[in-house]
Amino acid sequence: MDLHPKGVFCAALTPLNADLTPDLGAFAGHCRHLLDEGCDGIALLGTTGEANSFSGAERRALLESAIKAGVAPSQLLPGTGVTALTETIELTRHALSLGVTTVVMLPPFYYKDISDDGVYACYSEIVQRIADPRLKVVLYHIPQMSHQPISHAVIARLRAQYPEVFVGIKDSSGDFANMTAMIEKFPGLAVLAGADPLLLPLLKKGGAGCITATSNLVARDLAYVFRHFNGSDPALEAAQNRIIKARERASLFPQIASLKVLLAHQTGHNGWRRVRPPLLPLPQENIDRLLTAGPALKETA
Amino acid sequence: MDLHPKGVFCAALTPLNADLTPDLGAFAGHCRHLLDEGCDGIALLGTTGEANSFSGAERRALLESAIKAGVAPSQLLPGTGVTALTETIELTRHALSLGVTTVVMLPPFYYKDISDDGVYACYSEIVQRIADPRLKVVLYHIPQMSHQPISHAVIARLRAQYPEVFVGIKDSSGDFANMTAMIEKFPGLAVLAGADPLLLPLLKKGGAGCITATSNLVARDLAYVFRHFNGSDPALEAAQNRIIKARERASLFPQIASLKVLLAHQTGHNGWRRVRPPLLPLPQENIDRLLTAGPALKETA
């Protein structure tokens, strides 16, 4: 069965201007660069992209900027799930209006102790109200952040009721056993790893690919792993090792701020270092430690 | 020192039409009824009001509907804190544009493990950008839902930097020791209980009042407690007992759906029973159990 979405998708970081508005030009350039490096698409406006720190208008502007810069709508997987179903619908409809048909959708994440019935009701209501046969949804399972896991029972009900819509799941829990269990349980569901080092083992189990943060830095290595995972050449091992090291390095300090420091260093554009509160930029001491913690990152052309 | 806000504020429930849009007419009528019952004001668009399940436009319409119905802006304390600081600013500015100057503000609640510096940075950025000397903020401490406690260190910094702005805190943690500690530590800070039965003991410790859910049903009793808390008449004890019982009853099943069932029963308007996903209405069996679990609630005139 053909999986969709399939491949390496970068959970793109969002560059900011000095006033903390999204730097649309730098963002669009970064998306094009990631595709040049071999990404199959851009999963913009996720946790790594600080999406929930942006207003609806800012989110729409970011998506539009990528399309205006020539990125094909089919290569864009924006995050559109917020706490209010009417806003999730608005953001998803906006994506569809631009020709973007696959979105990554968080469950609502304000109320706690929501039952499976409540999570199902939310997704179901959203799909029914949008009522667009083009819509494809990647569920977003990131319980450590959303505090709202997406259970197998919910996935089964959504797949049964809307088989054409709920095509994939991004699993950012880090729980490899959960990912492989979903591959076995839900044939045709695209299971995407949320952690870069898991792309290789997940592909061997029938996974569809990944949506990951470190791909902002090592997209080329991830693309290599995706295309050669069944091989055993030394280049595959080397790529996987670089991926593991890059992720370890980005985890020395808070991850999003760290990735931004490393990307600023790689691109020579210090604007990348900015984050929006409640996230904070790394103190200079930690920037220094981070930049000397590993080999110099490849400079982009 | 004069505390503000001071009194009994109802965390108003939000009635819905059959299509789950806010029923603005019923909402405005409920606000007026609550004031008639003795509430000092309405803390609309909080957790009990399902605020995070509504879009920005829906939130603005609800606030406007209360004002159009003749509720004084000074009696309205809307919740305006969301995950994106630009949207928190937009909602707060909208309130100010209507003459509403006191808002209840959640900290950002998507990212986890945010440091005190990050929480401070968020509130500080919001106040600086709004730059309106009329603005008064009630901090909203509800860690069981937001997973973002507001520490005493953050309160101290905000009070030191913006003494005219951060005038109060709603403590919905249920932790009475935390409430009394804040009263001692921060003279002039209006500490408001988030749980109805705590109004009476908190007033005796110097608390400013409450913002509570059960006040949708027993506002008159809370108003009585507020005005007579220093007395020892049997009417005070009776009011406090009714408050405790009403809250216990509303806690048999999920609280918001239960309160809505009880309010539907009290008003005779079954539209009150609707909730927006991810919350779900009570099953009929539980509605029956809830309605027979206590004395008939007073019918409104």
Side-chain angles (χ1 to χ4, degrees):
Chain A
M1 204 175 294
D2 230 29
L3 299 176
H4 169 84
K6 196 169 172 179
V8 171
F9 298 89
C10 178
L13 293 161
T14 308
L16 302 176
N17 296 307
D19 65 357
L20 303 184
T21 54
D23 180 342
L24 300 178
F27 178 72
H30 183 50
C31 291
R32 293 182 58 110
H33 166 69
L34 290 166
L35 296 173
D36 290 346
E37 289 283 295
C39 279
D40 298 282
I42 314 294
L44 66 164
L45 292 165
T47 301
T48 304
E50 299 173 76
N52 284 308
S53 296
F54 295 113
S55 69
E58 290 168 326
R59 294 167 76 121
R60 290 191 290 273
L62 280 159
L63 180 56
E64 288 168 15
S65 76
I67 290 174
K68 274 184 203 146
V71 179
S74 62
Q75 292 183 300
L76 292 166
L77 273 63
T80 61
V82 293
T83 61
L85 66 87
T86 40
E87 272 183 355
T88 297
I89 289 166
E90 208 177 299
L91 290 168
T92 306
R93 279 194 180 136
H94 170 259
L96 286 161
S97 77
L98 300 171
V100 173
T101 56
T102 309
V103 301
V104 182
M105 205 180 276
L106 276 170
F109 53 83
Y110 180 69
Y111 290 104
K112 302 302 181 284
D113 302 318
I114 293 298
S115 66
D116 276 357
D117 286 347
V119 176
Y120 175 82
C122 239
Y123 280 119
S124 177
E125 189 79 24
I126 289 164
V127 170
Q128 293 208 14
R129 288 181 182 222
I130 292 176
D132 188 321
R134 297 173 300 161
L135 177 64
K136 308 279 179 213
V137 172
V138 175
L139 297 164
Y140 191 178
H141 178 62
I142 182 166
Q144 71 274 31
M145 203 65 85
S146 65
H147 285 246
Q148 182 57 69
I150 300 176
S151 73
H152 293 193
V154 164
I155 298 168
R157 277 180 75 184
L158 291 171
R159 297 268 297 165
Q161 193 66 33
Y162 308 103
E164 307 294 320
V165 177
F166 293 93
V167 295
I169 187 161
K170 176 188 178 186
D171 186 340
S172 293
S173 69
D175 179 354
F176 192 69
N178 187 53
M179 298 176 213
T180 55
M182 291 191 293
I183 290 170
E184 280 171 35
K185 231 171 174 169
F186 305 113
L189 182 73
V191 177
L192 299 139
D196 309 76
L198 296 181
L199 173 64
L200 179 55
L202 194 67
L203 289 170
K204 292 183 175 177
K205 297 280 188 185
C210 68
I211 297 178
T212 56
T214 320
S215 58
N216 282 283
L217 300 172
V218 290
R220 196 175 291 189
D221 289 322
L222 286 156
Y224 190 90
V225 167
F226 182 72
R227 280 154 189 77
H228 303 84
F229 73 91
N230 264 326
S232 59
D233 62 310
L236 177 65
E237 201 183 324
Q240 177 70 354
N241 281 339
R242 281 193 297 271
I243 290 165
I244 290 169
K245 278 187 182 143
R247 189 178 157 92
E248 279 173 2
R249 189 176 182 181
S251 306
L252 276 176
F253 303 110
Q255 196 190 37
I256 296 170
S258 297
L259 287 167
K260 284 187 145 180
V261 164
L262 294 168
L263 193 59
H265 186 71
Q266 193 182 71
T267 60
H269 175 35
N270 272 338
W272 272 110
R273 289 190 184 177
R274 297 185 189 106
V275 292
R276 191 177 264 203
L279 302 188
L280 294 176
L282 298 187
Q284 188 59 46
E285 180 196 336
N286 292 353
I287 291 175
D288 296 341
R289 284 178 59 194
L290 181 59
L291 292 177
T292 54
L297 286 156
K298 180 181 60 63
E299 299 290 330
T300 55
Chain B
M1 203 175 296
D2 230 28
L3 300 176
H4 169 85
K6 195 170 174 179
V8 172
F9 299 89
C10 179
L13 292 161
T14 308
L16 302 177
N17 296 306
D19 64 356
L20 304 184
T21 54
D23 180 344
L24 301 178
F27 178 72
H30 183 51
C31 291
R32 292 182 58 110
H33 166 70
L34 290 165
L35 296 172
D36 289 346
E37 290 285 294
C39 278
D40 297 282
I42 314 292
L44 66 166
L45 292 166
T47 300
T48 303
E50 299 173 76
N52 283 308
S53 296
F54 296 113
S55 69
E58 289 168 327
R59 294 167 76 120
R60 290 191 289 273
L62 280 159
L63 180 56
E64 289 169 14
S65 76
I67 290 174
K68 274 183 204 146
V71 179
S74 62
Q75 291 183 300
L76 293 165
L77 273 62
T80 61
V82 292
T83 61
L85 67 88
T86 39
E87 274 183 354
T88 298
I89 289 166
E90 208 177 300
L91 290 168
T92 306
R93 279 193 179 136
H94 171 260
L96 286 160
S97 77
L98 300 172
V100 172
T101 55
T102 308
V103 301
V104 182
M105 205 180 276
L106 276 171
F109 53 84
Y110 180 68
Y111 290 104
K112 302 301 181 285
D113 302 318
I114 294 298
S115 66
D116 276 356
D117 286 348
V119 176
Y120 176 82
C122 239
Y123 280 118
S124 177
E125 189 80 25
I126 289 163
V127 170
Q128 293 209 13
R129 288 180 183 223
I130 292 175
D132 187 322
R134 296 173 300 160
L135 177 65
K136 308 278 179 213
V137 173
V138 176
L139 297 164
Y140 191 178
H141 178 62
I142 182 167
Q144 71 274 32
M145 203 65 86
S146 66
H147 285 246
Q148 182 57 69
I150 299 176
S151 73
H152 293 194
V154 164
I155 299 167
R157 277 179 74 185
L158 290 171
R159 298 268 298 166
Q161 193 66 35
Y162 308 103
E164 307 295 320
V165 178
F166 293 94
V167 294
I169 186 162
K170 177 188 177 186
D171 186 341
S172 293
S173 68
D175 179 354
F176 192 69
N178 187 55
M179 299 176 212
T180 54
M182 291 190 294
I183 290 169
E184 280 172 34
K185 230 171 174 169
F186 305 112
L189 182 72
V191 177
L192 299 140
D196 309 76
L198 297 181
L199 172 64
L200 178 55
L202 193 67
L203 288 170
K204 292 183 176 179
K205 297 281 188 184
C210 68
I211 297 179
T212 56
T214 319
S215 57
N216 283 282
L217 301 171
V218 291
R220 195 175 291 189
D221 289 322
L222 286 156
Y224 190 89
V225 167
F226 182 72
R227 278 153 191 76
H228 302 85
F229 73 92
N230 264 326
S232 58
D233 62 310
L236 177 64
E237 201 183 324
Q240 177 70 354
N241 282 339
R242 281 192 298 270
I243 291 165
I244 291 169
K245 279 188 183 142
R247 189 179 158 92
E248 280 173 1
R249 188 176 183 182
S251 306
L252 276 176
F253 302 111
Q255 196 191 36
I256 296 169
S258 297
L259 287 168
K260 284 187 144 181
V261 164
L262 294 168
L263 193 58
H265 185 70
Q266 193 182 71
T267 60
H269 174 33
N270 273 337
W272 271 110
R273 289 190 183 176
R274 298 185 189 106
V275 292
R276 191 177 265 203
L279 303 188
L280 294 176
L282 298 188
Q284 187 60 46
E285 179 197 337
N286 292 352
I287 291 176
D288 295 343
R289 284 179 58 194
L290 182 60
L291 291 178
T292 55
L297 286 157
K298 180 183 58 65
E299 300 290 329
T300 54

